[in-house]
Amino acid sequence: MTIIQTSRTIRRRSTAAAVLAAAVAIAMTGCSTSTTADTSGGTTKITTLSLYSGSSPAGKWLNGLSADFEKANPGIDVSNDFVAQTDLPTTYGKSIVAGNEQDIVMTNLVGDPTTWLQNGATVDVKKYLKSWGLDDTFSKSALQAWTNTKGQLQAFPLEGYNWPMWYNMGLLKKAGIDTPPATWDELISDSKKLRDTGVQPFAVGAADYPAPAVITLVGLAKIGEKRLTKLFATGDWSDADGQKVIDGTLQLRDAGVFDDDSAGMKYPDQVAAFGAGKAAMLFDGSWGYGNAANSFGNLDIRLGGFPLPSGSPVDKPISFAGQSTGVWISPNGEKKADAVKKFVQFMYEKKNLTAFANLGYVSPAKTGTLDLDTKTLPKLNVESQEELPKDTSVFQPTYNSLSPTVTSAFFRASTQAFVKGATAAQVTQSLEQAWQAN
């Protein structure tokens, strides 16, 4: 087994849409020189490309899985390439051009990868779902999340996630607050009380992906999923619904809800501020549960939803949940389908998938099928799966429907809303320019 470490992982961002699109276009017009499976010396070689880092828990799981697979399947070698998610589309695009793309790709269905299947960079795996014995491995919702509008299954679901609000109850109680805020009036009032104790209220890494995530929370809370989806489809932020979302975001900013330094903070900064007790609220996902247990497990953290404004069409505070990493099959991988089939089947064996879920930040693609170790899993992981479905209104992040170019532009433009003094007109212009990138 070969391990190639090319970069550390940065989760949930997608870039380089133009590079990938160009690469796919070139490759699909005849530049690919790949042939059938590499069987040099009687050995079939399988290659994977994933957004993990080799030293991360997920990377170590994949390396161990590959070693075990090789022992159980003499004659098949597995080579694992690791690259940061921000670099993965470019890396994969270059391999498409060279005609030596990896057989299996593990990454998220956000941005550039949403175009892979339609451009021929990956294959529809729906035809393999039953023939590979995986038809009972995934929940209906997981399969729906990975099925495109043409009914094609873009990848096999691997990781699910949830993404709630985190509340430091120690800091809230110190400020005289007994329960997390459920309404915007409470959120604003609680933020003032927290500031009076010298604590920042809500740490938002607005120079990174938390900015569009929080704007999406505000949009869901103000106008609901259907209207927000329409807004994201049109990009008409100057219309009534767009202005409601922008005005709501600026209302919270100007009321002192967000950390004063939010516009310059990135994701690691918001986590660090919360973990150090400098901020009382955080919006972070299940990928952070393990780090929380290791780095600031002494904090009294309660998970919940994003509070609702008066007149909200949503009935309970909001959290996100959905599917993140999937297992994609490339055209090269399809050429050696027998070997790839064995590896994918091995990956989804109950003991191997259970080991992955027991890393602590993964929601199983189908609940009730794995032997999860609730005694060793991070406390927040267990609590999130038990409590969030009943205590919050759960949505998929609505911006996942955006094109790759708009996604990247939206992520950059969203920062403007967290800049102190930025007006609604300035934020509107920034967001509408992002949609013009399409």
Side-chain angles (χ1 to χ4, degrees), residues 48-71:
T48 78
L49 176 67
S50 72
L51 49 63
Y52 308 124
S53 69
S55 60
S56 70
K60 292 178 180 178
W61 169 81
L62 181 58
N63 287 333
L65 176 88
S66 300
D68 291 343
F69 174 79
E70 289 178 346
K71 292 178 183 177

Side-chain angles (χ1 to χ4, degrees), residues 271-290:
V271 175
F274 182 83
K278 296 180 180 179
M281 292 176 269
L282 178 73
F283 186 54
D284 197 13
S286 48
W287 51 90
Y289 296 154

Side-chain angles (χ1 to χ4, degrees), residues 245-281:
V245 177
I246 291 171
D247 289 345
T249 306
L250 300 192
Q251 176 191 353
L252 297 181
R253 181 200 68 187
D254 295 341
V257 169
F258 307 131
D259 191 300
D260 293 337
D261 297 326
S262 284
M265 297 173 71
K266 292 190 175 182
Y267 169 75
D269 303 321
Q270 70 168 27
V271 175
F274 182 83
K278 296 180 180 179
M281 292 176 269

Side-chain angles (χ1 to χ4, degrees), residues 169-180:
M169 295 308 300
L171 294 179
L172 264 63
K173 290 177 181 178
K174 184 178 179 181
I177 305 164
D178 293 327
T179 59

Side-chain angles (χ1 to χ4, degrees), residues 36-317:
T36 56
D38 181 353
T39 56
S40 303
T43 298
T44 300
K45 296 182 179 179
I46 296 175
T47 56
T48 78
L49 176 67
S50 72
L51 49 63
Y52 308 124
S53 69
S55 60
S56 70
K60 292 178 180 178
W61 169 81
L62 181 58
N63 287 333
L65 176 88
S66 300
D68 291 343
F69 174 79
E70 289 178 346
K71 292 178 183 177
N73 295 270
I76 303 178
D77 288 346
V78 181
S79 175
N80 296 322
D81 299 351
F82 300 95
V83 64
Q85 186 184 349
T86 47
D87 299 327
L88 193 148
T90 301
T91 300
Y92 188 62
K94 289 178 178 178
S95 71
I96 284 281
V97 171
N100 61 0
E101 77 272 6
Q102 290 84 356
D103 305 308
I104 297 170
V105 185
M106 284 170 269
T107 194
N108 296 351
L109 186 62
V110 178
D112 303 344
T114 62
T115 68
W116 283 356
L117 181 56
Q118 71 190 52
N119 288 325
T122 55
V123 304
D124 180 6
V125 299
K126 186 175 183 179
K127 57 191 170 187
Y128 297 123
L129 194 61
K130 189 171 184 179
S131 64
W132 289 7
L134 300 175
D135 47 327
D136 195 40
T137 303
F138 314 109
S139 67
K140 182 178 180 180
S141 61
L143 291 174
Q144 286 177 338
W146 284 93
T147 300
N148 65 17
T149 56
K150 295 181 179 179
Q152 300 168 309
L153 185 61
Q154 299 172 89
F156 298 118
L158 180 61
E159 287 187 45
Y161 67 89
N162 53 55
W163 193 354
M165 288 289 295
W166 302 32
Y167 296 98
N168 183 329
M169 295 308 300
L171 294 179
L172 264 63
K173 290 177 181 178
K174 184 178 179 181
I177 305 164
D178 293 327
T179 59
T183 68
W184 279 20
D185 287 343
E186 292 173 355
L187 177 61
I188 292 170
S189 174
D190 290 352
S191 295
K192 184 178 185 305
K193 293 176 183 178
L194 287 164
R195 287 181 176 275
D196 289 343
T197 66
V199 173
Q200 293 287 322
F202 185 0
V204 180
D208 208 338
Y209 69 79
V214 171
I215 289 177
T216 300
L217 286 175
V218 171
L220 289 167
K222 291 288 286 185
I223 63 176
E225 185 177 35
K226 184 176 180 179
R227 287 161 62 186
L228 183 63
T229 300
K230 181 179 179 181
L231 172 62
F232 280 177
T234 63
D236 188 3
W237 287 89
S238 60
D239 74 1
D241 280 344
Q243 291 300 292
K244 285 181 181 179
V245 177
I246 291 171
D247 289 345
T249 306
L250 300 192
Q251 176 191 353
L252 297 181
R253 181 200 68 187
D254 295 341
V257 169
F258 307 131
D259 191 300
D260 293 337
D261 297 326
S262 284
M265 297 173 71
K266 292 190 175 182
Y267 169 75
D269 303 321
Q270 70 168 27
V271 175
F274 182 83
K278 296 180 180 179
M281 292 176 269
L282 178 73
F283 186 54
D284 197 13
S286 48
W287 51 90
Y289 296 154
N291 175 64
N294 295 329
S295 302
F296 42 92
N298 59 315
L299 299 184
D300 180 11
I301 300 171
R302 185 178 302 178
L303 301 179
F306 181 72
L308 303 177
S310 176
S312 174
V314 181
D315 60 351
K316 292 185 291 188

